Amino acid sequence: MNVSEVLANTLSGDATIRNAAEQQLSTAASQHFPEYLQMLSAELANEETQPFIRSAAGIALKNALTARERTRLLEVQQKWISQVDPTIKGQVKENSLRTLASNDNRAGTSAAQLIAAIAAIELPQNQWQELMPALVRNVGEGSDSLKQSSLTTIGYICESEDPDLRESLNQHSNAILTAVVQGARKEESNNDVRFAAMVALGDSLEFVRTNFDNDGERNYIMQVICEATQSDDFRIQQAAFGCLNRIMSLYYDKMKFYMEKALFGLTIVGMKHDEEEVAKLAIEFWCTVCEEESAIEDDNAQYQAEGGSELRPFFNFARIATPEVVPVLLELLTKQDEDAGDDEYNVSRAAYQCLQLYSACVGGLVIQHVLAFVELNLRHENWRLRDAAVSAFGAIMEGPDIKLLDPLVKQALPILVGMMNDKVLMVKDSAAYALGRICDCCGTAIDPELHLPSLIQALFSGLKDSPKMASSCCWALMNLAERFGIDSEGEENPLSKYFKDSVSALLAATERPDADNQLRTACYEVLNSFITNVGQDELPSIAHLCTVIIERLEKTIQLQNQIVSPDDRITLEEMQTSLTVVMGSIVQRLEKEIAPQADRIMQILLQILSMLPPNSSVPDAIFGTVGAMANALEEDFTKYMEAFAPFLFNALSNQEEQQLCSVAIGLVSDISRSIGDKVAPYCDNFMNHLLSNLQSNTLSQQFKPAILQCFGDVAQAIGGLFETYLQVVMGVLQQAASISPAPDSNYEMVEYVISLREGIMDAYDGIIIALKSGDKTQLLAPYVQHIFGFLSAINADPNKTENLMKSAMGVLGDLADAFPNGEISQYFRADWINSMIKETRLNREYAPRTTETARWTREQVKRQQTQPS
């Protein structure tokens, strides 16, 4: 194979030639992997080869040793370990290191990627120990191109997310730091080298914690970075501010001296920089400060509540800097770009985000500065100043005490509603968004009689405006519905009088000729929120709406035959998803009153399911609505099971679509609770799929608690018939109960074990109730000792939640109730049982239902303790 020719053909404009070349490379990689790597690395290192061919070789090498998907990545890494002999490995490494010196930057970058891919495999195995010293030597002694490529290599290695590689890099921290700091100094005359060094320094900061603990080394690193912020090369300035952001996040406790001496002034100046990318990173520095200080205050409050004394250092950087930083942010809000897309992140949007975080961090301290700015500019003839004033007011709705904001909001609401008619679209959109922020954060300041009529009218008028503004109005309306739907259990609430008109306006907005998918979805979300939150008096209107939604769902089936492009498919599926979710909310509100429409609803949902392509997201929504139907219809849902069960079985076995599989597991619980023992004919399939999922290495372990809980729901549904599955399920529960967090486990592991134990408890309780109802409690006898052992372990573990303790009380009480004649009374005499019940019963933080369960359990246990041994 002429490798140069094949590589050139992979870039051909002729699809036939390109595909044939790619197939040749794929075959060579599959059948002759070592020789393939050797051949490509030689081509990459060959200075006489044309640059575009060297780049193609680099891409092929990168693809041979890396992959985005974790399973595929481990597979290709294993091929390097097991299929490539040491001689060829050495040649590939030598070729890649030699290419770093190339004057062709693209070849050097490709070599850096290849080296990083090999390092990810070998450094965690304590192999290629000479790599980091070699890269350091290159930075100290090499040509400019060799320095730049070597620093880029270090950056690629350090930015890896692989935990094993990150762990192994700690031992190389001195070498990494030596190289990057040497390249980043102001004495480095080549800006390309210095930029590469600054990027690598940012990527390596997490691995130099030991060096940062040393005052002298830390001072020197900070000096180099601060000097870089003053470079005349904007790229270097950006990288330097990026480093400062990362340092503030990682080493906040070391920053007091540097904030006082340099960082405060550097970042204030940086925020005003003419180069937008530099200004944004300087703004983000203060975002990081606010996020860190908010997190520290939360952590310290929690430590104190738990009786802890070791608090995290807290320096009040944001509060101290408020008089200087906030005015700059307000000024930057006026730098709007009216042509910016929704996803574009510019200086004005960065300033808005920072002002939000600042308000959340320092609370009422921002009000004086923002209010002065708002009062000066809210009615200004310059639209940029008007828009900045509206945005600023909306930005501070979270953080200050509601008592401070309430009078300001009441005063501002009429003005903001009036600005929904501003002649400039950006101002109108900002006004709608600010109103949404008020509804979200300060809803109590909105008077239903005084403010709501004009507010609702303005937002629905905005719904007819440009799609951009309409989306902002939708968000505000959702927040408004949640604010005034708190008392939706009552016959009427403030939303009721607006409901019919709101529904009409929202349905009309979804059919606007210029409506895109985003606006349509937003309108249906608002409709969903109104349905959920409106008073009971509007149930007849909701019932009428049900017919409209059914008709729209039926029309989507006709549209299936009109799909001609992937975009058409996306549009149709988003519409089906939105309509199905709305239907689910209607079912939840109407409950049993949905029965007259149930056949038609289930028919359309089943028809859509049968027509969907693989990997569609619509089934998730349909399963949610089917769950609502089962809950509403209870035993009457049984008639749909024969038609629906095959879709549910397929979803349970689809471990690749984990979200759908998760929804299906929950749906098995819903259906079991709803139709009771009528679920029995489907239980063999359900239990087989659930047990298979429990043992799966594909599914996330987070699925296991829900599966265990599902066992309990199935058991309660079929009562004594659960005997068929008892031995297998009890074995699974005993195995799961043996899992406990290690002393050094992280928070996520502790949370997982607690949720697993909650699932185990729910399963035990369901099984106990089932066997008692089937008069088969004697089947529990072999498992009673283990259940009490598990309860004892939970009692002894300090990591407990209310849900876990409530479930534990249920199991204890139901066990006592299941054996009324004292057959297992000896187990109830253990000292820990009374203390566990008392701890739960007297816990003032627990809900009344939990403490009531504990009281009931105490009575059941007392009866057992008075039984003769």
Side-chain angles (χ1 to χ4, degrees), residues 491-733:
E491 280 300 310
E492 183 180 359
N493 64 25
L495 290 181
S496 295
K497 66 175 74 173
Y498 306 103
F499 185 71
K500 292 184 183 69
D501 290 342
S502 299
V503 168
S504 299
L506 289 164
L507 290 173
T510 63
E511 295 187 319
R512 283 175 50 163
D514 60 344
D516 55 14
N517 291 348
Q518 183 180 353
L519 176 56
R520 262 192 303 272
T521 300
C523 289
Y524 280 123
E525 286 174 349
V526 178
L527 182 58
N528 205 41
S529 187
F530 268 70
I531 293 166
T532 302
N533 290 294
V534 76
Q536 294 290 102
D537 59 318
E538 286 300 319
L539 289 184
S541 300
I542 294 175
H544 175 71
L545 176 62
C546 181
T547 304
V548 176
I549 299 302
I550 289 173
E551 291 170 353
R552 290 196 174 196
L553 275 169
E554 287 171 339
K555 286 180 182 177
T556 67
I557 291 181
Q558 300 164 15
L559 294 173
Q560 294 272 12
N561 300 322
Q562 300 176 23
I563 293 174
V564 295
S565 70
D567 285 345
D568 290 344
R569 167 66 61 189
I570 291 169
T571 297
L572 177 60
E573 292 200 357
E574 287 189 0
M575 193 185 307
Q576 288 176 326
T577 297
S578 295
L579 287 166
T580 305
V581 170
V582 170
M583 180 59 70
S585 296
I586 291 172
V587 173
Q588 288 174 335
R589 287 305 306 269
L590 295 181
E591 297 179 319
K592 286 188 177 297
E593 298 302 315
I594 198 66
Q597 298 275 36
D599 286 355
R600 193 176 172 193
I601 293 169
M602 286 303 299
Q603 181 183 356
I604 189 71
L605 295 180
L606 290 167
Q607 196 171 352
I608 292 172
L609 280 174
S610 67
M611 299 177 71
L612 290 171
N615 304 322
S616 169
S617 60
V618 180
D620 294 26
I622 290 179
F623 279 25
T625 299
V626 170
M629 291 289 289
N631 292 333
L633 299 174
E634 296 180 333
E635 281 196 8
D636 290 342
F637 184 79
T638 308
K639 64 180 177 180
Y640 306 114
M641 279 301 295
E642 187 175 348
F644 177 66
F647 296 108
L648 185 52
F649 295 153
N650 287 337
L652 286 169
S653 64
N654 189 352
Q655 297 183 2
E656 298 303 318
E657 295 287 326
Q658 297 205 9
Q659 176 60 30
L660 179 60
C661 188
S662 173
V663 174
I665 292 166
L667 188 49
V668 171
S669 287
D670 288 341
I671 291 173
S672 299
R673 288 192 295 264
S674 296
I675 68 175
D677 59 3
K678 303 294 192 302
V679 80
Y682 308 96
C683 282
D684 281 354
N685 261 312
F686 284 159
M687 295 301 293
N688 286 334
H689 286 306
L690 292 171
L691 288 165
S692 173
N693 288 341
L694 205 56
Q695 297 163 1
S696 169
N697 292 323
T698 303
L699 286 178
S700 165
Q701 66 179 11
Q702 304 302 326
F703 286 71
K704 293 182 179 179
I707 294 173
L708 299 180
Q709 183 185 35
C710 196
F711 289 153
D713 291 326
V714 171
Q716 283 199 66
I718 63 175
L721 296 176
F722 196 77
E723 178 184 354
T724 306
Y725 316 108
L726 183 65
Q727 185 175 355
V728 173
V729 171
M730 283 303 204
V732 167
L733 295 177

Side-chain angles (χ1 to χ4, degrees), residues 328-370:
V328 176
L329 294 174
L330 294 169
E331 179 187 342
L332 294 176
L333 286 176
T334 66
K335 307 292 183 184
Q336 307 96 324
D337 178 1
E338 57 264 51
D339 299 321
D342 288 344
D343 298 331
E344 238 175 281
Y345 187 64
N346 52 38
V347 167
S348 176
R349 289 175 179 173
Y352 181 83
Q353 179 190 21
C354 190
L355 186 57
Q356 277 187 307
L357 291 169
Y358 228 103
S359 177
C361 180
V362 307
L365 286 181
V366 300
I367 290 179
Q368 175 188 348
H369 305 282
V370 171

Side-chain angles (χ1 to χ4, degrees), residues 10-22:
T10 64
L11 305 173
S12 170
D14 187 319
T16 304
I17 296 174
R18 185 173 67 252
N19 292 337
E22 290 172 351

